[in-house]
Amino acid sequence: MFRDESEFVRWLQTHAPRGDPRLKLGIGDDAALVEVRRGHELILTTDMSIEEVHFSPRLHAPRSVGHRALARSLSDIAAMGGTPRYALVSLALSRSAPRAWVDAFYKGLLALAQAFKVSLIGGDTAVVPGPTMIDVLVAGEVPRGSALRRSGARPGELLYVSGRLGWSALGLRLLKSQPPGRTLSHVASVCTLGTSRLLLTEAACAAAAIQAHLYPQPQCALGRYLAARRLTTAMIDLSDGLSTDLNRLCEASGVGARVWTERLPHPYLEDPHDSLQLALDGGEDYQLLFTVDPRQASRLPARFRGIPLRHIGEITRAKKVVLHQATGREETLQPRGYDHFRKCKENES
Amino acid sequence: MFRDESEFVRWLQTHAPRGDPRLKLGIGDDAALVEVRRGHELILTTDMSIEEVHFSPRLHAPRSVGHRALARSLSDIAAMGGTPRYALVSLALSRSAPRAWVDAFYKGLLALAQAFKVSLIGGDTAVVPGPTMIDVLVAGEVPRGSALRRSGARPGELLYVSGRLGWSALGLRLLKSQPPGRTLSHVASVCTLGTSRLLLTEAACAAAAIQAHLYPQPQCALGRYLAARRLTTAMIDLSDGLSTDLNRLCEASGVGARVWTERLPHPYLEDPHDSLQLALDGGEDYQLLFTVDPRQASRLPARFRGIPLRHIGEITRAKKVVLHQATGREETLQPRGYDHFRKCKENES
C-alpha cells in the first residue's frame, strides 16, 4: 500500500491526465478550482458504489469497479443532456484491499474518464475496517436553459428507449453462475439463451451480456444530441431498471405510461417471462428513457451512432404505469428495481 | 426507517430550504443544476466521515456527526478564500442506524448549511451492512483569480494562525474520559486543565473544548476577507493538525518554516508537553494557517470578528519545518496528525 497520503496524492497526480485550460487547480490542494463556460449551467451529481451492495470482489475485477463507479455518474449527466467535465473520487478503502486493487481500480476509472474527456480533479481517501466504498462526483456543463428533466412528460407523448434492456442483469446472472476459474466459452454452456435476433452464438451473447454488465457505456453523446435538438420533453437514465425509473419519470411529470411488452429490446431466453423480467427490473443498463412530442417524432432518427432508439410506449393521463401485453391484457407495472430502503425492510422481515 | 427511496427524497425536499435563484434544479432529478456567477470560478471539494474512523456513536451525537461532516468541506472552501454555495450528501447508512439517527444527522447538517447559506441540492443514499459512511461535496465560488492556494509561500514571509489550536483534540479526550450518562459538570473533575489565560473555570474550559470538537466553526468569512484584500500568499485549513498541515503547505510551496512554541495558542494543561502536543498534532480545529508578506503585515488586524490572528512563525528557505522552543533549542516538526495510510501500516505492524 502507499506509505502515506502525500505518496498517494503524488501517484494520483501522475496518473490523472490534465491539459484542460479551464482546470485552474487539480489534485493536491484543499479543493479543486475550475471555470464553467460562459452561457452554461453547472450539473452536479454523485453516486456511491459499495462492496457487496453494488459490486462483489468475487464477480467484479477492480478495473470494472472503477469503470462502473464513474459510469453511474456519467450516465446522470447524460440524462440531463450535459457534457461531463470533472470528477472527484472519494475512496474508503477496505484494509484488506491490496495495492494492486487500487492500481487496477484507478486504471478502469481513468480509462473511462479519458474516453469521455473528464479530468480527475480531487476527492478524499480513507482506509477503513469495513467494506470498500466509493463515491464519485461528476461536474458537467449544459448550455443555459437546455438541460432535460424528468418532469417534462405530457399525456399523448411517445416513450422511447435507447439500446438494449436487461443485458447487464443477464451478464450479472452469468457471472454468478460461472464456476470459478472457468473461461468465458464455458459460460455459454451454463446459460440458456435461445435464438437471438442478433444471430449471435450463445457464447457471443454471453460475452456481450457480461461486457454490458462489467463495462457499461454511458449515453452522453445521445443525451447531448437529444437536448441540443430539443427532440425530447423528459429524460431519465436507466440505472435501477425500467419499472423503477419509468415510475420515477411519471411521478415527476404527474402522468402515467403504457409500455408494450413486445417492443421491449430484451434478451431472448427460453422462458419469455424471465426475458421480460430482466428488461423490466434488471437495472444498470445505463440507457436513456425519454419522451417525444408526436409532432417531433419524425425528426428522431431510428439509430444514433449505431444505437437503436425504440418507441416502446406512450404517456397517459391516468397516473399509473401499465404493461400492455401482446394478448391485449394490461397490468400495473410496479417499481421492482433495486431500492435500498425497501431492500433493508425485506432483510428485516 | 423510510419506506422507500421516494419517501426519503420527499422528506429531504421538505427539509432542505431553497430560495436561491441560481439553483435551477435541486434534489429529486438525475442531477442538480446550478448557475455559477459571472466572473467567478468554481471550487469543488469532497470529504468523507466514517463511523469508527472520523466519529463514534458512543461519543458523537448524530446532530454533531451531521455538523462535522459538512464543516470539513466548508473549511476547505474557507482555505481557498471562497464562498460555499451548494452541498451534495452521499449517505451509506448502517442497517443498524435508527430513523431518529437520520433525522438528527440531517438536522445538524442543515442547521450549519443554513448558517452558511448553503443549499443541499443532491446526493446519494444506500443502506449498508457495514459502518455508516458519509461523503459531503461542497461547491463554492471565488472571484476569478483570487483563490488562495497552498503553494504561494515564500522565504521571509510571516506565518499566522487564526483562533485556538488543540481544543478540538482536548474536547475529544474529555468526551472519551467522560463516564457514560454523566453531565458536563462532571467532566471538569476528570480533566486537569490548569490555569487558563482566558480565566475560565475548569468546567467552562471543558465545555468550550467539547463544543469546539462537536460543533467546529469553519472560517469562511475570514478566508474570504484575507483573499479579497490580498493579505496572504498561501493558505491551508487545519484539519489534520498543525504538524501535518504546515508540512503540506511547505511542501506545496517548496519552502520550510520555523514555528515558535511559546506563541502557539494551545490549551493550558498541567503537563506543558501535553499542551503543546495537542496544538501540534490534535487536528480538527478547522482554523486557517496562512502566510503574509512582511510588508503587508501592518494591514492585518489583530482580530477578525473576535477571532485572534496570531503570528506564530516564519517561512524559511531550508526545506524543513522546525519547532523553535523558548530555550532556543530547535527540533524538526514531523507530521504526526492523522494519516490513513500511515495508520493502516501501524495497525499491520
Side-chain angles (χ1 to χ4, degrees):
Chain A
M1 198 41 70
F2 300 92
R3 203 179 58 239
D4 55 21
E5 281 174 24
S6 353
E7 192 189 75
F8 176 67
V9 166
R10 279 193 300 272
W11 179 82
L12 258 191
Q13 283 171 329
T14 57
H15 283 76
R18 298 200 192 181
D20 179 342
R22 291 186 298 120
L23 170 57
K24 306 293 172 185
L25 190 57
I27 294 162
D29 213 295
D30 290 297
L33 197 64
V34 302
E35 203 156 10
V36 176
R37 250 188 307 185
R38 261 179 88 163
H40 284 66
E41 287 166 335
L42 177 71
I43 309 172
L44 294 172
T45 184
T46 176
D47 286 278
M48 289 187 290
S49 299
I50 301 168
E51 188 178 330
E52 300 310 344
V53 177
H54 302 92
F55 68 91
S56 159
R58 285 169 296 113
L59 306 176
H60 299 93
R63 196 162 70 87
S64 161
V65 176
H67 177 106
R68 285 161 47 90
L70 178 61
R72 298 187 68 198
S73 293
L74 294 184
S75 185
D76 285 328
I77 303 283
M80 309 286 288
T83 304
R85 291 285 180 201
Y86 305 106
L88 289 93
V89 175
S90 289
L91 173 62
L93 186 67
S94 173
R95 248 181 228 161
S96 59
R99 165 70 190 263
W101 193 95
V102 181
D103 287 355
F105 165 82
Y106 275 103
K107 197 172 176 181
L109 189 144
L110 289 168
L112 185 65
Q114 196 163 13
F116 281 80
K117 295 198 177 108
V118 166
S119 305
L120 178 64
I121 61 168
D124 192 13
T125 310
V127 180
V128 294
T132 293
M133 301 204 192
I134 305 129
D135 190 32
V136 176
L137 174 117
V138 172
E141 291 173 334
V142 65
R144 188 177 291 132
S146 77
L148 284 163
R149 298 156 194 234
R150 297 179 177 180
S151 56
R154 296 294 168 260
E157 291 179 346
L158 315 180
L159 185 67
Y160 280 79
V161 74
S162 68
R164 298 187 286 191
L165 299 180
W167 283 74
S168 173
L170 176 61
L172 178 61
R173 186 188 290 181
L174 292 170
L175 283 168
K176 281 181 175 166
S177 66
Q178 188 176 10
R182 294 291 176 89
T183 62
L184 211 59
S185 62
H186 292 89
V187 171
S189 61
V190 292
C191 79
T192 45
L193 270 162
T195 318
S196 159
R197 281 189 186 165
L198 293 166
L199 296 175
L200 293 175
T201 64
E202 287 191 5
C205 272
I210 289 172
Q211 181 72 12
H213 179 75
L214 295 181
Y215 298 98
Q217 294 301 316
Q219 299 298 331
C220 293
L222 172 60
R224 213 157 45 224
Y225 171 86
L226 295 171
R229 279 160 191 75
R230 301 191 183 276
L231 281 167
T232 79
T233 54
M235 189 148 72
I236 191 171
D237 73 311
L238 293 173
S239 52
D240 294 332
L242 181 69
S243 64
T244 296
D245 292 320
L246 176 55
N247 270 286
R248 285 179 180 148
L249 184 142
C250 287
E251 197 186 320
S253 293
V255 297
R258 177 176 292 110
V259 172
W260 304 308
T261 55
E262 74 275 18
R263 297 221 186 170
L264 290 176
H266 54 71
Y268 289 83
L269 308 184
E270 275 188 333
D271 175 2
H273 182 75
D274 189 23
S275 307
L276 193 59
Q277 222 56 43
L278 282 176
L280 293 173
D281 307 327
E284 299 194 306
D285 284 312
Y286 300 113
Q287 294 297 339
L288 294 175
L289 180 72
F290 55 95
T291 53
V292 177
D293 185 317
R295 291 164 295 184
Q296 300 291 328
S298 63
R299 290 174 58 214
L300 192 74
R303 285 175 175 265
F304 174 80
R305 297 191 187 172
I307 304 155
L309 308 179
R310 287 193 183 84
H311 178 199
I312 60 163
E314 60 197 6
I315 299 299
T316 61
R317 201 168 299 275
K319 287 186 185 172
K320 61 177 185 173
V321 177
V322 296
L323 203 59
H324 183 98
Q325 303 193 323
T327 59
R329 226 187 107 224
E330 288 201 340
E331 57 181 281
T332 305
L333 181 61
Q334 299 289 353
R336 292 201 203 282
Y338 199 90
D339 185 302
H340 289 279
F341 290 107
R342 272 212 308 275
K343 184 83 185 170
C344 184
K345 282 230 169 353
E346 283 162 26
N347 286 334
E348 278 163 10
S349 58
Chain B
M1 199 39 70
F2 300 91
R3 204 178 58 240
D4 55 22
E5 281 175 24
S6 352
E7 192 190 74
F8 176 67
V9 166
R10 279 193 300 272
W11 178 82
L12 258 190
Q13 282 171 331
T14 58
H15 284 75
R18 297 201 193 182
D20 179 341
R22 290 185 297 119
L23 171 57
K24 306 293 173 184
L25 190 58
I27 294 163
D29 213 295
D30 289 297
L33 197 64
V34 302
E35 204 156 10
V36 175
R37 249 189 306 185
R38 261 180 87 165
H40 284 66
E41 287 167 333
L42 176 72
I43 310 172
L44 293 172
T45 184
T46 177
D47 287 278
M48 288 187 290
S49 299
I50 302 168
E51 189 179 330
E52 300 309 345
V53 177
H54 301 93
F55 67 92
S56 160
R58 286 168 296 112
L59 306 176
H60 299 93
R63 197 162 68 88
S64 160
V65 176
H67 177 106
R68 285 160 47 89
L70 178 60
R72 299 186 68 196
S73 293
L74 295 184
S75 184
D76 284 328
I77 303 283
M80 309 285 290
T83 304
R85 292 285 179 201
Y86 305 106
L88 289 94
V89 176
S90 289
L91 172 62
L93 186 67
S94 173
R95 249 181 227 160
S96 59
R99 166 68 189 264
W101 193 95
V102 181
D103 287 356
F105 166 81
Y106 274 104
K107 198 172 176 180
L109 189 144
L110 289 168
L112 184 66
Q114 197 164 13
F116 281 79
K117 295 198 176 110
V118 167
S119 305
L120 179 64
I121 61 168
D124 193 13
T125 311
V127 179
V128 294
T132 293
M133 301 204 194
I134 305 129
D135 190 32
V136 176
L137 175 118
V138 172
E141 290 172 335
V142 65
R144 189 177 291 133
S146 78
L148 284 162
R149 298 157 193 232
R150 297 179 178 179
S151 55
R154 296 292 168 260
E157 290 179 347
L158 315 181
L159 185 67
Y160 279 78
V161 74
S162 69
R164 298 187 286 190
L165 298 180
W167 283 73
S168 173
L170 176 61
L172 178 61
R173 187 189 289 182
L174 291 170
L175 283 168
K176 280 181 177 167
S177 66
Q178 188 176 11
R182 295 290 176 87
T183 61
L184 211 59
S185 61
H186 292 89
V187 171
S189 62
V190 292
C191 80
T192 45
L193 271 163
T195 317
S196 158
R197 281 187 186 166
L198 294 166
L199 297 174
L200 292 176
T201 64
E202 285 192 5
C205 271
I210 289 172
Q211 182 72 11
H213 180 74
L214 295 180
Y215 298 99
Q217 294 301 317
Q219 299 299 332
C220 293
L222 172 61
R224 214 157 43 225
Y225 171 86
L226 295 172
R229 279 159 192 77
R230 302 190 183 275
L231 281 167
T232 78
T233 53
M235 188 147 72
I236 190 171
D237 74 311
L238 293 173
S239 51
D240 294 332
L242 181 70
S243 64
T244 297
D245 292 319
L246 176 55
N247 270 286
R248 284 178 181 149
L249 184 142
C250 287
E251 198 185 321
S253 294
V255 297
R258 177 176 292 109
V259 172
W260 304 308
T261 56
E262 75 276 18
R263 297 220 185 171
L264 290 176
H266 54 71
Y268 289 82
L269 308 184
E270 277 189 333
D271 174 2
H273 182 74
D274 189 22
S275 308
L276 193 60
Q277 221 57 40
L278 282 175
L280 292 173
D281 307 327
E284 298 193 307
D285 285 311
Y286 299 114
Q287 295 296 339
L288 295 176
L289 180 72
F290 54 95
T291 52
V292 177
D293 186 316
R295 291 163 295 183
Q296 301 291 329
S298 62
R299 292 175 56 216
L300 192 74
R303 283 175 175 266
F304 175 80
R305 298 191 187 172
I307 304 155
L309 308 179
R310 288 193 182 86
H311 178 198
I312 60 162
E314 60 198 5
I315 299 299
T316 60
R317 200 168 300 275
K319 288 185 185 173
K320 61 178 185 172
V321 177
V322 296
L323 204 59
H324 183 98
Q325 303 194 322
T327 58
R329 225 185 109 223
E330 289 200 341
E331 58 182 281
T332 304
L333 181 61
Q334 299 289 353
R336 291 200 203 281
Y338 200 89
D339 185 301
H340 288 279
F341 290 107
R342 270 212 309 275
K343 183 83 186 170
C344 184
K345 282 232 170 354
E346 282 162 26
N347 286 333
E348 277 164 10
S349 57

